[in-house]
Amino acid sequence: DRLRELVQADREGRCVVLPKEGILKKGDKVWYCDKETAEIESGTVVSAFYKNGKLESFSVDFDSGGLVEFVGSVFGTCFFKSQEAAEAALIGA
């Protein structure tokens, strides 16, 4: 039954295969790189929304306090999945 349901959903265009790596999901630790102040702040992803397999938006609960929602396009430019990547972005700024 489950397989039939998935086949039907695929036929109707309701199935999307997301990449195994590089996706953002609830509970992921992220680092925000503020290039204006040269500071890095960490937080935890509270939600991530996808549309057609592409990250549409995500919310972060910052360790310093505050819950903020961002557009998906900022992931990889000022948000990163490792502190080292955020630090490298500061060096490259």
Side-chain angles (χ1 to χ4, degrees):
D1 287 338
R2 177 72 175 141
L3 186 55
R4 285 187 183 120
E5 182 183 351
L6 290 171
V7 169
Q8 183 64 32
D10 186 44
R11 286 183 183 143
E12 295 172 0
R14 297 184 289 127
C15 284
V16 176
V17 177
L18 299 174
K20 289 183 179 182
E21 293 185 26
I23 62 172
L24 211 49
K25 64 185 180 306
K26 182 178 179 177
D28 281 351
K29 190 77 169 175
V30 291
W31 285 262
Y32 171 69
C33 170
D34 188 333
K35 295 177 183 176
E36 290 182 20
T37 63
E39 294 179 345
I40 294 173
E41 188 173 358
S42 60
T44 303
V45 175
V46 175
S47 62
F49 299 97
Y50 290 85
K51 184 175 183 180
N52 298 325
K54 183 177 177 184
L55 181 62
E56 188 79 10
S57 65
F58 61 100
S59 297
V60 174
D61 184 9
F62 286 100
D63 294 343
S64 62
L67 177 68
V68 183
E69 186 169 348
F70 298 91
V71 296
S73 61
V74 299
F75 186 72
T77 59
C78 61
F79 272 94
F80 302 91
K81 287 187 85 169
S82 75
Q83 185 174 355
E84 294 79 16
E87 290 169 351
L90 271 184
I91 293 169

